[in-house]
Amino acid sequence: MRKKIICISALGVLMGSMMSCKEKSSSNEGAQTEQTQAQDDLAILKVDSVEVDLHWEFTDESMRDYVDKGVLPGLKCVIDVPSSSQSEVLAKAVMEWVSKNAMGGVYNGDVMDVNSMAKAYADHIQKNSEEGGMGPDSQTEFSVRKVYENAQVVTFLYSGYDYAFGAAHGMPYIMGVTFSKSDGKLLDAGKLVRKDADLQAFLKNGLKKYFEAKTDEELGENLMMDEGNSIDKLPAPQTAPWVDERGIVLVYQSYEISSFAAGQPEVVIPVKDAEKVLTPEACEMLK
């Protein structure tokens, strides 16, 4: 285990502009040369937002009854593609994650070619209706957008909505993913949050805030849990945590811990408390 002062230092870097380094001398506060400013500008990860909008005809014409006239099945997405000229390793790491997690892992070509990747995914949706997917008479819309970065890490938010025509409702989803900017390494759950970290108080307080519940009883009325869980033994979200300007973010997907109407309950571990759950590896990577 790293000494506490190391984790505190790492946390300051992890959260970037959210908090300044305590050890800076007062004589340097607010001072920045043109050279330093230029270096900071170069450190900002540039992205190119690519939009794809693909449609196809219904295979079952009766599905038209469930949508407005002129609406067709399709795939629509917006992806912030990192600049490969700025960091080829990071750009490839991000887009390989997009290919595997947002585009079904069905594409074997150049992951920087978003249009070809999306076309392959659209073809997969249309051709694999017998394999447990939504089927060709469906709509998939999602985005992968850069939402946070500092000198060491960058976070992308993947969110979307899948709807199979004829279903009672579609399925929304949201997850973030944080990468090390230096080498493109993914800070997944195991690398970001310690396995032995005590999350219970954070989970309970975060869910109370989300549901605006004042008591444990009120919170319990908003949750759906199995026999192995309780208000004092809440399951951690299945989706890996990520980092943004508020701290460490954990999100439960629809139906995971509450009703569909509740959306995706969110818990944020604030900056001031994040050091309590960070792994030594995260401290080392981000200092």
Side-chain angles (χ1 to χ4, degrees), residues 249-274:
V249 185
L250 303 97
V251 168
Y252 295 91
Q253 302 301 324
S254 296
Y255 292 120
E256 187 176 348
I257 198 172
S258 191
S259 66
F260 177 81
Q264 292 85 43
E266 177 186 78
V267 172
V268 177
I269 301 177
V271 175
K272 62 183 179 65
D273 296 319

PDB file of all heavy atoms in Angstrom, residues 249-274:
ATOM      1  N   VAL A 249     -17.319   7.991 -10.623  1.00  0.00           N
ATOM      2  CA  VAL A 249     -18.736   7.825 -10.931  1.00  0.00           C
ATOM      3  C   VAL A 249     -19.081   6.346 -11.080  1.00  0.00           C
ATOM      4  O   VAL A 249     -18.376   5.596 -11.764  1.00  0.00           O
ATOM      5  CB  VAL A 249     -19.103   8.558 -12.237  1.00  0.00           C
ATOM      6  CG1 VAL A 249     -20.609   8.482 -12.487  1.00  0.00           C
ATOM      7  CG2 VAL A 249     -18.648  10.013 -12.181  1.00  0.00           C
ATOM      8  N   LEU A 250     -20.164   5.930 -10.414  1.00  0.00           N
ATOM      9  CA  LEU A 250     -20.680   4.579 -10.533  1.00  0.00           C
ATOM     10  C   LEU A 250     -22.147   4.670 -10.943  1.00  0.00           C
ATOM     11  O   LEU A 250     -22.904   5.457 -10.370  1.00  0.00           O
ATOM     12  CB  LEU A 250     -20.567   3.808  -9.219  1.00  0.00           C
ATOM     13  CG  LEU A 250     -19.163   3.686  -8.614  1.00  0.00           C
ATOM     14  CD1 LEU A 250     -18.961   4.761  -7.544  1.00  0.00           C
ATOM     15  CD2 LEU A 250     -18.947   2.310  -8.007  1.00  0.00           C
ATOM     16  N   VAL A 251     -22.551   3.874 -11.927  1.00  0.00           N
ATOM     17  CA  VAL A 251     -23.926   3.936 -12.423  1.00  0.00           C
ATOM     18  C   VAL A 251     -24.530   2.537 -12.501  1.00  0.00           C
ATOM     19  O   VAL A 251     -23.898   1.599 -12.991  1.00  0.00           O
ATOM     20  CB  VAL A 251     -23.976   4.607 -13.814  1.00  0.00           C
ATOM     21  CG1 VAL A 251     -25.351   4.414 -14.447  1.00  0.00           C
ATOM     22  CG2 VAL A 251     -23.673   6.097 -13.706  1.00  0.00           C
ATOM     23  N   TYR A 252     -25.756   2.415 -12.005  1.00  0.00           N
ATOM     24  CA  TYR A 252     -26.540   1.191 -12.154  1.00  0.00           C
ATOM     25  C   TYR A 252     -27.358   1.311 -13.437  1.00  0.00           C
ATOM     26  O   TYR A 252     -28.008   2.341 -13.669  1.00  0.00           O
ATOM     27  CB  TYR A 252     -27.501   1.010 -10.980  1.00  0.00           C
ATOM     28  CG  TYR A 252     -26.832   0.790  -9.637  1.00  0.00           C
ATOM     29  CD1 TYR A 252     -26.536   1.867  -8.804  1.00  0.00           C
ATOM     30  CD2 TYR A 252     -26.526  -0.492  -9.194  1.00  0.00           C
ATOM     31  CE1 TYR A 252     -25.951   1.676  -7.559  1.00  0.00           C
ATOM     32  CE2 TYR A 252     -25.933  -0.693  -7.946  1.00  0.00           C
ATOM     33  CZ  TYR A 252     -25.643   0.392  -7.139  1.00  0.00           C
ATOM     34  OH  TYR A 252     -25.060   0.191  -5.910  1.00  0.00           O
ATOM     35  N   GLN A 253     -27.375   0.258 -14.243  1.00  0.00           N
ATOM     36  CA  GLN A 253     -28.170   0.287 -15.463  1.00  0.00           C
ATOM     37  C   GLN A 253     -29.646   0.021 -15.143  1.00  0.00           C
ATOM     38  O   GLN A 253     -30.007  -0.350 -14.026  1.00  0.00           O
ATOM     39  CB  GLN A 253     -27.645  -0.755 -16.454  1.00  0.00           C
ATOM     40  CG  GLN A 253     -26.192  -0.572 -16.840  1.00  0.00           C
ATOM     41  CD  GLN A 253     -25.904   0.783 -17.484  1.00  0.00           C
ATOM     42  OE1 GLN A 253     -26.724   1.321 -18.240  1.00  0.00           O
ATOM     43  NE2 GLN A 253     -24.729   1.345 -17.193  1.00  0.00           N
ATOM     44  N   SER A 254     -30.500   0.235 -16.123  1.00  0.00           N
ATOM     45  CA  SER A 254     -31.941   0.018 -15.950  1.00  0.00           C
ATOM     46  C   SER A 254     -32.212  -1.408 -15.469  1.00  0.00           C
ATOM     47  O   SER A 254     -31.612  -2.362 -15.972  1.00  0.00           O
ATOM     48  CB  SER A 254     -32.663   0.250 -17.276  1.00  0.00           C
ATOM     49  OG  SER A 254     -32.544   1.590 -17.683  1.00  0.00           O
ATOM     50  N   TYR A 255     -33.090  -1.529 -14.483  1.00  0.00           N
ATOM     51  CA  TYR A 255     -33.501  -2.793 -13.873  1.00  0.00           C
ATOM     52  C   TYR A 255     -32.434  -3.430 -12.983  1.00  0.00           C
ATOM     53  O   TYR A 255     -32.690  -4.455 -12.353  1.00  0.00           O
ATOM     54  CB  TYR A 255     -33.908  -3.822 -14.945  1.00  0.00           C
ATOM     55  CG  TYR A 255     -35.172  -3.489 -15.698  1.00  0.00           C
ATOM     56  CD1 TYR A 255     -35.155  -3.310 -17.074  1.00  0.00           C
ATOM     57  CD2 TYR A 255     -36.387  -3.358 -15.031  1.00  0.00           C
ATOM     58  CE1 TYR A 255     -36.322  -3.011 -17.778  1.00  0.00           C
ATOM     59  CE2 TYR A 255     -37.552  -3.059 -15.717  1.00  0.00           C
ATOM     60  CZ  TYR A 255     -37.513  -2.888 -17.091  1.00  0.00           C
ATOM     61  OH  TYR A 255     -38.677  -2.592 -17.768  1.00  0.00           O
ATOM     62  N   GLU A 256     -31.245  -2.852 -12.916  1.00  0.00           N
ATOM     63  CA  GLU A 256     -30.185  -3.491 -12.126  1.00  0.00           C
ATOM     64  C   GLU A 256     -30.457  -3.420 -10.629  1.00  0.00           C
ATOM     65  O   GLU A 256     -30.197  -4.388  -9.902  1.00  0.00           O
ATOM     66  CB  GLU A 256     -28.834  -2.847 -12.432  1.00  0.00           C
ATOM     67  CG  GLU A 256     -27.656  -3.542 -11.781  1.00  0.00           C
ATOM     68  CD  GLU A 256     -26.319  -2.938 -12.172  1.00  0.00           C
ATOM     69  OE1 GLU A 256     -26.264  -2.130 -13.127  1.00  0.00           O
ATOM     70  OE2 GLU A 256     -25.322  -3.274 -11.510  1.00  0.00           O
ATOM     71  N   ILE A 257     -30.974  -2.293 -10.188  1.00  0.00           N
ATOM     72  CA  ILE A 257     -31.248  -2.144  -8.756  1.00  0.00           C
ATOM     73  C   ILE A 257     -32.587  -1.468  -8.504  1.00  0.00           C
ATOM     74  O   ILE A 257     -33.056  -1.403  -7.375  1.00  0.00           O
ATOM     75  CB  ILE A 257     -30.121  -1.344  -8.072  1.00  0.00           C
ATOM     76  CG1 ILE A 257     -30.138  -1.559  -6.553  1.00  0.00           C
ATOM     77  CG2 ILE A 257     -30.219   0.151  -8.414  1.00  0.00           C
ATOM     78  CD1 ILE A 257     -28.942  -0.972  -5.825  1.00  0.00           C
ATOM     79  N   SER A 258     -33.221  -0.996  -9.570  1.00  0.00           N
ATOM     80  CA  SER A 258     -34.499  -0.317  -9.412  1.00  0.00           C
ATOM     81  C   SER A 258     -35.338  -0.499 -10.676  1.00  0.00           C
ATOM     82  O   SER A 258     -34.920  -1.175 -11.620  1.00  0.00           O
ATOM     83  CB  SER A 258     -34.268   1.168  -9.128  1.00  0.00           C
ATOM     84  OG  SER A 258     -35.460   1.794  -8.722  1.00  0.00           O
ATOM     85  N   SER A 259     -36.504   0.087 -10.697  1.00  0.00           N
ATOM     86  CA  SER A 259     -37.426  -0.066 -11.834  1.00  0.00           C
ATOM     87  C   SER A 259     -36.926   0.674 -13.062  1.00  0.00           C
ATOM     88  O   SER A 259     -36.052   1.547 -12.971  1.00  0.00           O
ATOM     89  CB  SER A 259     -38.804   0.468 -11.451  1.00  0.00           C
ATOM     90  OG  SER A 259     -38.752   1.862 -11.238  1.00  0.00           O
ATOM     91  N   PHE A 260     -37.494   0.356 -14.199  1.00  0.00           N
ATOM     92  CA  PHE A 260     -37.129   1.034 -15.438  1.00  0.00           C
ATOM     93  C   PHE A 260     -37.384   2.525 -15.329  1.00  0.00           C
ATOM     94  O   PHE A 260     -36.586   3.347 -15.808  1.00  0.00           O
ATOM     95  CB  PHE A 260     -37.927   0.447 -16.610  1.00  0.00           C
ATOM     96  CG  PHE A 260     -37.667   1.134 -17.917  1.00  0.00           C
ATOM     97  CD1 PHE A 260     -36.545   0.826 -18.667  1.00  0.00           C
ATOM     98  CD2 PHE A 260     -38.540   2.104 -18.397  1.00  0.00           C
ATOM     99  CE1 PHE A 260     -36.283   1.471 -19.875  1.00  0.00           C
ATOM    100  CE2 PHE A 260     -38.295   2.749 -19.606  1.00  0.00           C
ATOM    101  CZ  PHE A 260     -37.162   2.427 -20.337  1.00  0.00           C
ATOM    102  N   ALA A 261     -38.483   2.891 -14.684  1.00  0.00           N
ATOM    103  CA  ALA A 261     -38.853   4.300 -14.557  1.00  0.00           C
ATOM    104  C   ALA A 261     -37.823   5.104 -13.763  1.00  0.00           C
ATOM    105  O   ALA A 261     -37.748   6.326 -13.902  1.00  0.00           O
ATOM    106  CB  ALA A 261     -40.219   4.425 -13.899  1.00  0.00           C
ATOM    107  N   ALA A 262     -37.007   4.417 -12.955  1.00  0.00           N
ATOM    108  CA  ALA A 262     -36.015   5.109 -12.134  1.00  0.00           C
ATOM    109  C   ALA A 262     -34.797   5.537 -12.937  1.00  0.00           C
ATOM    110  O   ALA A 262     -33.956   6.288 -12.440  1.00  0.00           O
ATOM    111  CB  ALA A 262     -35.570   4.211 -10.984  1.00  0.00           C
ATOM    112  N   GLY A 263     -34.701   5.072 -14.167  1.00  0.00           N
ATOM    113  CA  GLY A 263     -33.560   5.437 -14.990  1.00  0.00           C
ATOM    114  C   GLY A 263     -32.316   4.668 -14.606  1.00  0.00           C
ATOM    115  O   GLY A 263     -32.386   3.497 -14.217  1.00  0.00           O
ATOM    116  N   GLN A 264     -31.165   5.343 -14.665  1.00  0.00           N
ATOM    117  CA  GLN A 264     -29.897   4.717 -14.302  1.00  0.00           C
ATOM    118  C   GLN A 264     -29.360   5.429 -13.046  1.00  0.00           C
ATOM    119  O   GLN A 264     -28.710   6.475 -13.150  1.00  0.00           O
ATOM    120  CB  GLN A 264     -28.878   4.816 -15.437  1.00  0.00           C
ATOM    121  CG  GLN A 264     -29.219   4.000 -16.668  1.00  0.00           C
ATOM    122  CD  GLN A 264     -30.146   4.719 -17.626  1.00  0.00           C
ATOM    123  OE1 GLN A 264     -29.995   5.899 -17.897  1.00  0.00           O
ATOM    124  NE2 GLN A 264     -31.142   4.011 -18.108  1.00  0.00           N
ATOM    125  N   PRO A 265     -29.650   4.874 -11.861  1.00  0.00           N
ATOM    126  CA  PRO A 265     -29.210   5.517 -10.618  1.00  0.00           C
ATOM    127  C   PRO A 265     -27.698   5.731 -10.590  1.00  0.00           C
ATOM    128  O   PRO A 265     -26.927   4.834 -10.926  1.00  0.00           O
ATOM    129  CB  PRO A 265     -29.651   4.525  -9.532  1.00  0.00           C
ATOM    130  CG  PRO A 265     -30.831   3.823 -10.146  1.00  0.00           C
ATOM    131  CD  PRO A 265     -30.482   3.683 -11.596  1.00  0.00           C
ATOM    132  N   GLU A 266     -27.292   6.926 -10.183  1.00  0.00           N
ATOM    133  CA  GLU A 266     -25.887   7.315 -10.211  1.00  0.00           C
ATOM    134  C   GLU A 266     -25.370   7.609  -8.805  1.00  0.00           C
ATOM    135  O   GLU A 266     -26.058   8.212  -7.991  1.00  0.00           O
ATOM    136  CB  GLU A 266     -25.724   8.558 -11.080  1.00  0.00           C
ATOM    137  CG  GLU A 266     -24.319   9.109 -11.150  1.00  0.00           C
ATOM    138  CD  GLU A 266     -24.243  10.415 -11.913  1.00  0.00           C
ATOM    139  OE1 GLU A 266     -24.602  11.463 -11.336  1.00  0.00           O
ATOM    140  OE2 GLU A 266     -23.844  10.388 -13.084  1.00  0.00           O
ATOM    141  N   VAL A 267     -24.158   7.151  -8.554  1.00  0.00           N
ATOM    142  CA  VAL A 267     -23.468   7.431  -7.298  1.00  0.00           C
ATOM    143  C   VAL A 267     -22.131   8.079  -7.638  1.00  0.00           C
ATOM    144  O   VAL A 267     -21.394   7.570  -8.487  1.00  0.00           O
ATOM    145  CB  VAL A 267     -23.231   6.148  -6.482  1.00  0.00           C
ATOM    146  CG1 VAL A 267     -22.340   6.430  -5.271  1.00  0.00           C
ATOM    147  CG2 VAL A 267     -24.563   5.535  -6.048  1.00  0.00           C
ATOM    148  N   VAL A 268     -21.818   9.185  -6.989  1.00  0.00           N
ATOM    149  CA  VAL A 268     -20.546   9.860  -7.210  1.00  0.00           C
ATOM    150  C   VAL A 268     -19.750   9.877  -5.908  1.00  0.00           C
ATOM    151  O   VAL A 268     -20.259  10.325  -4.872  1.00  0.00           O
ATOM    152  CB  VAL A 268     -20.753  11.311  -7.703  1.00  0.00           C
ATOM    153  CG1 VAL A 268     -19.397  12.011  -7.852  1.00  0.00           C
ATOM    154  CG2 VAL A 268     -21.503  11.313  -9.034  1.00  0.00           C
ATOM    155  N   ILE A 269     -18.528   9.364  -5.955  1.00  0.00           N
ATOM    156  CA  ILE A 269     -17.622   9.456  -4.818  1.00  0.00           C
ATOM    157  C   ILE A 269     -16.845  10.750  -5.009  1.00  0.00           C
ATOM    158  O   ILE A 269     -16.053  10.867  -5.945  1.00  0.00           O
ATOM    159  CB  ILE A 269     -16.678   8.258  -4.758  1.00  0.00           C
ATOM    160  CG1 ILE A 269     -17.494   6.963  -4.640  1.00  0.00           C
ATOM    161  CG2 ILE A 269     -15.710   8.392  -3.576  1.00  0.00           C
ATOM    162  CD1 ILE A 269     -16.657   5.705  -4.644  1.00  0.00           C
ATOM    163  N   PRO A 270     -17.076  11.747  -4.147  1.00  0.00           N
ATOM    164  CA  PRO A 270     -16.487  13.074  -4.357  1.00  0.00           C
ATOM    165  C   PRO A 270     -14.967  13.067  -4.347  1.00  0.00           C
ATOM    166  O   PRO A 270     -14.329  12.142  -3.829  1.00  0.00           O
ATOM    167  CB  PRO A 270     -17.030  13.889  -3.174  1.00  0.00           C
ATOM    168  CG  PRO A 270     -18.201  13.122  -2.663  1.00  0.00           C
ATOM    169  CD  PRO A 270     -17.899  11.685  -2.933  1.00  0.00           C
ATOM    170  N   VAL A 271     -14.403  14.109  -4.904  1.00  0.00           N
ATOM    171  CA  VAL A 271     -12.955  14.271  -4.969  1.00  0.00           C
ATOM    172  C   VAL A 271     -12.308  14.093  -3.597  1.00  0.00           C
ATOM    173  O   VAL A 271     -11.321  13.386  -3.440  1.00  0.00           O
ATOM    174  CB  VAL A 271     -12.598  15.662  -5.539  1.00  0.00           C
ATOM    175  CG1 VAL A 271     -11.096  15.880  -5.490  1.00  0.00           C
ATOM    176  CG2 VAL A 271     -13.106  15.808  -6.958  1.00  0.00           C
ATOM    177  N   LYS A 272     -12.891  14.721  -2.584  1.00  0.00           N
ATOM    178  CA  LYS A 272     -12.285  14.703  -1.255  1.00  0.00           C
ATOM    179  C   LYS A 272     -12.243  13.314  -0.638  1.00  0.00           C
ATOM    180  O   LYS A 272     -11.440  13.056   0.275  1.00  0.00           O
ATOM    181  CB  LYS A 272     -13.040  15.647  -0.322  1.00  0.00           C
ATOM    182  CG  LYS A 272     -14.488  15.275  -0.085  1.00  0.00           C
ATOM    183  CD  LYS A 272     -15.188  16.303   0.798  1.00  0.00           C
ATOM    184  CE  LYS A 272     -16.657  15.953   1.025  1.00  0.00           C
ATOM    185  NZ  LYS A 272     -16.800  14.710   1.793  1.00  0.00           N
ATOM    186  N   ASP A 273     -13.072  12.396  -1.133  1.00  0.00           N
ATOM    187  CA  ASP A 273     -13.126  11.045  -0.583  1.00  0.00           C
ATOM    188  C   ASP A 273     -12.520   9.988  -1.496  1.00  0.00           C
ATOM    189  O   ASP A 273     -12.393   8.825  -1.098  1.00  0.00           O
ATOM    190  CB  ASP A 273     -14.580  10.654  -0.296  1.00  0.00           C
ATOM    191  CG  ASP A 273     -15.208  11.520   0.775  1.00  0.00           C
ATOM    192  OD1 ASP A 273     -14.510  11.808   1.765  1.00  0.00           O
ATOM    193  OD2 ASP A 273     -16.380  11.901   0.633  1.00  0.00           O
ATOM    194  N   ALA A 274     -12.175  10.370  -2.719  1.00  0.00           N
ATOM    195  CA  ALA A 274     -11.757   9.387  -3.721  1.00  0.00           C
ATOM    196  C   ALA A 274     -10.512   8.613  -3.307  1.00  0.00           C
ATOM    197  O   ALA A 274     -10.360   7.440  -3.659  1.00  0.00           O
ATOM    198  CB  ALA A 274     -11.533  10.070  -5.067  1.00  0.00           C
TER     199      ALA A 274
END
